Amino acid sequence: MNETLSIVIYVVIGLAVIGSLAALLVRTRRTPKGMYPATRDADDQPGGSTAVLDRPGTAEAEPDSSVIVPDDLRDLEEAETPAPVVETPEPVQGRLARLRARLAKSNNALGKALLTLLSSDKIDEDVWDEIEETLLLADLGTEPTMELVDALRERVKISGSRDPEEVHAMLREELVKLVDPSMDRSLAVDRHADKPAVVMVVGVNGVGKTTTVGKLARVLVAEDKDVLLGAADTFRAAAAEQLATWGQRVGVPTVRSDVDGADPASVAFEAVKAGIDGEVDTVLIDTAGRLQNKVGLMDELGKVKRVIEKQAEVDEVLLVLDATTGQNGLTQAKVFAEVVNITGIVLTKLDGTAKGGIVVAIQRTLGVPVKLVGLGEGPDDLAPFDAEAFVDALLS
């Protein structure tokens, strides 16, 4: 009996102890009063008890002054953002030689085809038809093609020679005449007495216009010119950011708007004003890419030019064309020429096989020289155009 009573007493004491411990644990797990945020998240259900203290994508929480920062963290210095590395562009002469070599490698199909046909043992009408077709496929254009074929016909008939070297010399002379080395291909980028030179760069979407502005800035920096960029292409998302990145790579500042769709003329005006105040050598204005049949956008381009001219003369208007677009590029060029006074052509993507004839066609159509050519995707793959070197590359 006594043993049974003792066991019951021990069991009751054990249960009392276990109950006390359980109550203590429940109290310690309750959230102290005042720990929940005053405002619940929108996805919290009424009556719920979950507090979301740090949800990704929501507004940052206010600093909590009650948080204690350990002493060993207070003396740590804030990490500094490393300054961007300013690149040194390749000298113009060096890149020109490299681009000539690349042009010769990629475009010599045209020269080889012509030399093969002209060196045939028998040059009959079928051969001349093939020569004509080859030139047309190279985007030379109908009128220049007929001129070249007629000139070659006459010279081959007079000389009667089939010697490859003589044929090569004849073909080179006639092609150089068509490309016209007498055209002034210099860029008007030298500072005036009290104002910078201003260069507008125009062109349709997709031809590499903004990239060309960035590469042109590298060309000018390589010539020790102080350059400023104006991001007046406000219609294309990220165009200003893209241009600013090009500028940062060579230490060139960019004037741009922080408002999407800002007035392009206003940005151009501010860029030229900053160039005047900063006494820079050259201001490059990147204008909005546009389809040539959009009348409103073409009017906007004319407005940009007029606004710029309230402060400084526009020294160059460079039209960027994709060499692979062929005759469509000529249509674009004609429309742009009606809106602004184009002073020079920049041909990009001139690395498509046998497309070199577009140089002649564009110059003939506009009476405006090709001044710069781009042959690749590299940052220094833009160089001044040289007529004789171009022809030599085609025929190499």
Side-chain angles (χ1 to χ4, degrees), residues 126-240:
D126 290 337
V127 172
W128 287 115
D129 287 344
E130 286 189 56
I131 292 174
E132 184 177 316
E133 182 180 359
T134 300
L135 292 170
L136 290 173
L137 289 174
D139 288 333
L140 190 66
T142 303
E143 184 179 337
T145 293
M146 299 311 300
E147 287 183 21
L148 180 57
V149 170
D150 290 343
L152 290 173
R153 274 178 179 269
E154 185 67 21
R155 296 190 63 169
V156 168
K157 179 180 179 180
I158 293 174
S159 67
S161 174
R162 298 292 184 274
D163 180 72
E165 290 187 3
E166 290 187 25
V167 171
H168 183 283
M170 286 190 294
L171 182 57
R172 181 185 184 279
E173 289 178 12
E174 296 304 325
L175 282 174
V176 168
K177 288 180 184 178
L178 286 179
V179 178
D180 194 357
S182 66
M183 300 186 83
D184 182 10
R185 303 179 194 277
S186 61
L187 289 171
V189 291
D190 293 330
R191 178 178 171 80
H192 303 289
D194 58 345
K195 294 180 181 179
V198 178
V199 179
M200 280 181 61
V201 182
V202 303
V204 301
N205 289 321
V207 296
K209 178 174 52 59
T210 299
T211 298
T212 296
V213 176
K215 291 182 178 181
L216 179 55
R218 296 178 69 92
V219 171
L220 299 180
V221 169
E223 296 178 344
D224 296 324
K225 292 192 180 298
D226 191 4
V227 181
L228 183 141
L229 304 179
D233 183 354
T234 60
F235 293 110
R236 184 170 66 87

Side-chain angles (χ1 to χ4, degrees), residues 13 23 37 47 170 189 210 243 263 304 327 375 377:
I13 294 173
M170 286 190 294
V189 291
T210 299
L243 189 64
D263 180 21
V304 170
Q327 297 302 309
L375 303 178
E377 300 298 326

Side-chain angles (χ1 to χ4, degrees), residues 214-334:
K215 291 182 178 181
L216 179 55
R218 296 178 69 92
V219 171
L220 299 180
V221 169
E223 296 178 344
D224 296 324
K225 292 192 180 298
D226 191 4
V227 181
L228 183 141
L229 304 179
D233 183 354
T234 60
F235 293 110
R236 184 170 66 87
E241 188 69 27
Q242 179 186 358
L243 189 64
T245 299
W246 276 101
Q248 289 171 1
R249 293 173 65 176
V250 287
V252 170
T254 302
V255 173
R256 55 177 173 164
S257 173
D258 57 359
V259 178
D260 291 337
D263 180 21
S266 297
V267 176
F269 182 89
E270 292 300 326
V272 174
K273 182 177 184 298
I276 294 173
D277 295 341
E279 299 182 353
V280 303
D281 296 316
T282 312
V283 176
L284 303 180
I285 304 294
D286 179 25
T287 61
R290 58 197 71 225
L291 297 175
Q292 71 273 12
N293 59 352
K294 299 294 184 181
V295 177
L297 290 176
M298 296 303 288
D299 289 343
E300 181 67 41
L301 183 61
K303 176 185 174 183
V304 170
K305 187 172 185 290
R306 292 192 301 273
V307 168
I308 291 175
E309 290 175 335
K310 292 181 179 180
Q311 300 183 90
E313 180 183 354
V314 176
D315 299 273
E316 286 274 6
V317 179
L318 299 177
L319 173 62
V320 181
L321 294 175
D322 182 337
T324 64
T325 60
Q327 297 302 309
N328 186 44
L330 292 179
T331 303
Q332 297 172 15
K334 290 177 183 178

